[in-house]
Every structure is written in C-alpha cells, then in structure tokens.
C-alpha cells in the first residue's frame, strides 16, 4: 500500500514562487512514476507534470517554462517548483503515482491572489 503526503501549499501573490513536496511511504522500491495534478474550483482535475524514471518529464502547456518537477529517487519524493505563479494556478495540488493501481495524496491548497 502506497501512501502519498503533500506539503508546501499556501497563499502567495502573483509572480511569486512556491515549492510543493510529496513523500511516498509504504514501499521499499523506487516508484516508476510520480506526478502532480491539480484541481481548480469548478474544474476537472488535470495533469500538471509527470516524472518517469529514466528522465521522461511532461508538463501541461499552461505551466511550461514556469514549473519544474524533480525527483529524489532514494526517498521516493517528488517536488514541484512553481515560479511566476498566476491567479489561474490557484488549485488543490495532488501527488499521484501508479503501482498496480492509482494512488493519490489528499492534496495541498495553493492560492495565488493579490
């Protein structure tokens, strides 16, 4: 059973930066992929960034050039460095992985507002 716990959300102003962290526990092997999704109020959950072992990284068009996903493979952790935040980045951000089935964290709220 994989448990995912996110941290690092908060309230920031437009243009500021924030880093989210996610730690996976309950496993002794390196997860093949760790991803970040987000869900804004009234919208569907969407993929923000995907990190696959071996270096394959994918970003949503809306965050390319502003967000950076990185992994700490030793500790099965994944990070999301978010720069130049916009009001439209406001959402609950979820950590996600797949091992036989999908696993989700409970989410961390990011609010971008002036």
């Amino acid at each position: 059973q994989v448990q995912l716990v996110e941290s690092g959300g908060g309230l920031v102003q437009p243009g500021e930066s924030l880093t989210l962290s996610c730690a996976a526990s309950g496993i002794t092997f390196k997860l093949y992929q760790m991803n970040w999704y987000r869900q804004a109020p009234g919208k569907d959950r969407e993929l923000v960034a995907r990190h696959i072992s071996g270096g394959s990284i994918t970003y949503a068009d809306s965050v390319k050039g502003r967000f950076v996903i990185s992994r700490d493979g030793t500790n099965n952790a994944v990070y999301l460095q978010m720069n130049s935040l916009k009001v439209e980045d406001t959402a609950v951000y979820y950590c996600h992985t797949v091992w036989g089935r999908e696993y989700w964290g409970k989410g961390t709220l990011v609010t971008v507002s002036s």
Side-chain angles (χ1 to χ4, degrees):
Q1 188 79 1
V2 179
Q3 293 88 41
L4 302 173
V5 179
E6 306 96 337
S7 61
L11 172 64
V12 296
Q13 295 187 342
E16 293 185 340
S17 298
L18 201 62
T19 299
L20 304 182
S21 301
C22 171
S25 61
I27 49 175
T28 58
F29 51 86
K30 182 177 179 179
L31 288 164
Y32 178 65
Q33 63 171 299
M34 294 188 76
N35 314 308
W36 287 99
Y37 282 74
R38 69 184 180 187
Q39 187 166 19
K43 295 188 176 181
D44 294 334
R45 193 171 296 188
E46 63 174 355
L47 176 67
V48 176
R50 172 172 285 123
H51 190 295
I52 295 178
S53 294
S56 177
I57 292 175
T58 303
Y59 293 102
D61 288 343
S62 59
V63 307
K64 281 181 182 176
R66 299 188 298 122
F67 290 13
V68 178
I69 187 172
S70 60
R71 285 283 304 268
D72 176 350
T74 302
N75 295 316
N76 267 327
V78 64
Y79 308 95
L80 187 67
Q81 172 69 40
M82 305 184 293
N83 303 312
S84 302
L85 282 161
K86 304 176 180 180
V87 171
E88 50 264 42
D89 294 319
T90 295
V92 177
Y93 285 72
Y94 297 91
C95 185
H96 169 269
T97 193
V98 179
W99 186 257
R101 68 169 184 90
E102 291 185 288
Y103 292 91
W104 297 90
K106 292 183 178 181
T108 185
L109 177 62
V110 173
T111 303
V112 185
S113 174
S114 56

